[in-house]
Amino acid sequence: MTASPRLPDYTATGVGRAPAPAVSRAPEPVRSEAASVAQPGLAVAPRRTSPLLIVLAVLGFIALALVLLVVLAYLVIALGTAGAVVGGLLALVPLAIVVLGIRWIDRWEPEPRSALAFAFLWGAGASVLIALAVDAEIQNALAAVGGPGPGFDFIAAAVQAPIVEEVGKGLGVLILFWAVRRHFDGPVDGIVYAACVGGGFAFTENILYFGQSLFDGSTATTVETFVVRGLMSPFAHVMFSACLGAALGFAARRTGAVGVLGYFVLGLVPAVLLHAFWNGALFFVGDFYGYYLLVQVPLFLVAVGIVAMLRGQERQLTEERLAEYAAVGWLHPQEVAMIASAAGRRQATAWAQRHGVGALMAAFIRDATRLAYARQRILGDRDDIGARADEAALLAALARSRHALRGGA
């Protein structure tokens, strides 16, 4: 196998040391089957999940569901049933836009759906409740000293809200960082989880803003609020939170608790500053739409460019790590080329669907991609979270997949 240059540490979880010893040579039956590209066949047996993890996940979802019910009850009381319902329906539009964006980011190595659901529930419920509770305490404290003074609206919007909301959202990403370490491999993963949290927060906040505009303003006010928040800036909270998510993604390298908290603060700073810039500018900018086109649109395009670059790094990482397995007989070189290429994946998926084995091919691509990241965790000395065990399980799954795709039992 020809040596390739080492991947820069954008998405990689390595720490810059020399590669670990080569992977074990594939058994003879596997090498024999890997000598040619897989053909259609039977399905692969599902992998098992830890019962303790299932119990903890269920308890977490129950807790977040109860918190979300409390937040929804608050919205109904504050806006009335009609305002909350109409606001919720309008808020589905920007949410759908955000979901499409997250699917684009997460397409290469999809994160577990349960983790993404947890992230959304945290954003829509827990982080909103944190913001409401802090705001209520501040209002009580101000009432005790005679009410808010001059400039309070600006301080609340440009200082209080960015700090409290970004910390509240960031705590959810931090919980996921520890709970799903095996699926938290780099900044793209962090951005995906943070985007789900931010999208959930924006969904609940949009219900409040849309419902309030219906309650207090005219139809024109409601339309303008929907255009600004729902169509022009659906990714605002996503971009803020993505800064912290990307930082924790870099922290996925081997770092101690202090190091992770340092990355958390490092990501929190730009998240708060971007949030404060967005909120604070509204107090000084006369032409909001001109400001939006000249400042916010370029910032969004830069963010898209960064994500596209990181996704390219994911493709490169997948190709380099899987080539190591192909060199010792676990994969066919053409399979590596297929898995490490978006066009190759589309072609293989279309072929598999025509032959009735679409789910099997999807599992084959998914497990191979996860195998590449398990290998990268080994290179980064992250076996304390089960990287070698994951590697063994995924190699076995790939061998079963190929055997099934070739028409074996």
Side-chain angles (χ1 to χ4, degrees), residues 163-188:
I163 293 176
V164 175
E165 292 175 10
E166 296 310 320
V167 169
K169 291 185 292 181
L171 290 175
V173 184
L174 188 61
I175 290 172
L176 285 167
F177 177 86
W178 293 115
V180 291
R181 285 295 301 276
R182 292 183 177 183
H183 300 282
F184 213 119
D185 290 304
V188 172

Side-chain angles (χ1 to χ4, degrees), residues 129-155:
L129 186 62
I130 291 172
L132 291 173
V134 172
D135 184 67
E137 289 299 319
I138 291 176
Q139 294 296 334
N140 290 336
L142 290 174
V145 296
F152 174 75
D153 289 342
F154 173 78
I155 294 175

Side-chain angles (χ1 to χ4, degrees), residues 308-323:
M309 180 196 71
L310 292 173
R311 289 182 72 223
Q313 291 293 324
E314 284 194 319
R315 187 209 63 77
Q316 184 182 354
L317 182 149
T318 302
E319 182 178 20
E320 292 188 1
R321 295 289 80 84
L322 292 184

Side-chain angles (χ1 to χ4, degrees), residues 287-339:
D287 181 7
F288 169 78
Y289 295 100
Y291 155 78
Y292 173 82
L293 290 174
L294 292 176
V295 178
Q296 293 299 331
V297 170
L299 283 176
F300 176 73
L301 293 178
V302 168
V304 172
I306 292 174
V307 172
M309 180 196 71
L310 292 173
R311 289 182 72 223
Q313 291 293 324
E314 284 194 319
R315 187 209 63 77
Q316 184 182 354
L317 182 149
T318 302
E319 182 178 20
E320 292 188 1
R321 295 289 80 84
L322 292 184
E324 299 176 11
Y325 294 101
V328 291
W330 286 103
L331 289 165
H332 190 280
Q334 290 185 15
E335 292 169 346
V336 174
M338 176 271 289
I339 295 166

Side-chain angles (χ1 to χ4, degrees), residues 25-50:
R25 187 172 177 83
E28 178 58 34
V30 175
R31 284 189 285 119
S32 176
E33 290 192 343
S36 60
V37 181
Q39 297 297 322
L42 303 176
V44 178
R47 294 162 62 189
R48 297 179 179 179
T49 304
S50 167

Side-chain angles (χ1 to χ4, degrees), residues 174 177-178 181 254-264:
L174 188 61
F177 177 86
W178 293 115
R181 285 295 301 276
R254 188 177 179 84
T255 57
V258 176
V260 172
L261 293 178
Y263 276 97
F264 180 86

Side-chain angles (χ1 to χ4, degrees), residues 203-250:
F203 174 69
T204 303
E205 189 179 58
N206 280 335
I207 295 176
L208 181 61
Y209 274 89
F210 297 156
Q212 191 67 42
S213 67
L214 286 168
F215 189 79
D216 293 339
S218 62
T219 302
T221 302
T222 302
V223 171
E224 184 177 21
T225 302
F226 175 76
V227 170
V228 171
R229 294 189 61 88
L231 301 180
M232 295 176 61
S233 58
F235 292 101
H237 274 287
V238 170
M239 287 179 58
F240 307 152
S241 302
C243 297
L244 189 144
L248 286 179
F250 284 110

